[in-house]
């Protein structure tokens, strides 16, 4: 199924000028970038975006981190885009990520893991709408 999903290149990767390299990995894996923008969100916006994690011990640090510097947000489109993006990203903890995944290649730690990707069709719709409202 042709799907759309939301990808975020997080502050640690934007700061290391990895945007073009990461975009190339998506396009080489048949995920087309339909829209994109570089933005710097507030901690309140990060808290809204990551609301699903509000009961987790890492929530406050996660929101501070996502708002700590510019991020690059993208709508990716392609066959099975949601699961394909998750596969290309690799496991949440770069230490556990498969070889050649973005998180294995570029992730620094479980919190500074370079990319975000929607985890379901429902969340992909919500997350795309969060950043790309018309
Ligand atoms: N995270 C963290 N500590 C943890 C688990 C997660 O800092 O113990 C951060 C990490 O940046 C992760 C984000 O919270 O990407 C969202 O967690 P989730 O479990 O949804 O992982 P993801 O879907 O990003 O792989
Ligand atoms: Mg997640």
């Amino acid at each position: 199924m042709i799907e759309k999903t939301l990808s975020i290149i997080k502050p640690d990767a934007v700061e290391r000028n990895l945007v073009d390299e990461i975009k190339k990995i998506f396009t080489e894996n048949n995920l087309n970038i339909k829209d994109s923008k570089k933005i710097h969100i507030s901690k309140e916006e990060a808290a809204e975006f990551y609301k699903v994690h509000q009961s987790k011990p890492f929530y406050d640090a996660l929101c501070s981190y996502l708002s700590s510097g510019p991020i690059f947000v993208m709508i990716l489109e392609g066959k099975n885009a949601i699961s394909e993006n998750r596969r290309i990203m690799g496991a949440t903890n770069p230490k556990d990520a498969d070889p050649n995944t973005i998180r294995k290649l570029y992730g620094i730690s479980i919190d500074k893991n370079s990319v975000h990707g929607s985890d379901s069709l429902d969340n992909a719709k919500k997350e795309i709408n969060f950043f790309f409202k018309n």
Side-chain angles (χ1 to χ4, degrees):
M1 191 169 83
I2 301 296
E3 297 170 341
K4 288 189 179 72
T5 191
L6 184 88
S7 170
I8 305 178
I9 304 180
K10 294 183 179 181
D12 67 274
V14 173
E15 169 181 288
R16 286 176 290 150
N17 293 314
L18 294 170
V19 169
D20 286 346
E21 279 170 65
I22 293 174
K23 280 167 68 178
K24 190 162 168 252
I25 293 175
F26 290 131
T27 52
E28 282 176 351
N29 282 277
N30 302 313
L31 291 179
N32 298 313
I33 301 165
K34 299 295 285 184
D35 204 350
S36 65
K37 59 184 175 185
K38 188 177 175 181
I39 51 174
H40 190 160
I41 61 171
S42 67
K43 188 169 176 183
E44 289 70 29
E45 288 170 304
E48 179 64 28
F49 179 75
Y50 270 132
K51 214 171 179 175
V52 58
H53 293 301
Q54 62 187 334
S55 65
K56 309 271 173 66
F58 57 83
Y59 180 62
D60 188 65
L62 177 61
C63 299
S64 295
Y65 168 62
L66 196 71
S67 58
S68 67
I71 58 175
F72 191 81
V73 294
M74 289 164 282
I75 300 174
L76 303 180
E77 186 182 71
K79 193 176 169 195
N80 302 323
I82 296 159
S83 59
E84 273 298 283
N85 180 35
R86 297 288 305 190
R87 181 184 66 76
I88 295 161
M89 285 163 62
T92 306
N93 190 339
K95 283 188 192 141
D96 303 328
D98 286 339
N100 292 318
T101 59
I102 294 170
R103 284 168 165 172
K104 183 56 120 191
L105 290 170
Y106 306 120
I108 296 168
S109 58
I110 191 164
D111 47 326
K112 295 185 176 175
N113 60 6
S114 303
V115 278
H116 166 85
S118 309
D119 62 3
S120 67
L121 195 56
D122 195 38
N123 283 336
K125 284 180 187 155
K126 284 183 194 157
E127 293 181 359
I128 287 169
N129 194 46
F130 185 89
F131 286 109
F132 295 94
K133 288 190 198 82
N134 292 311

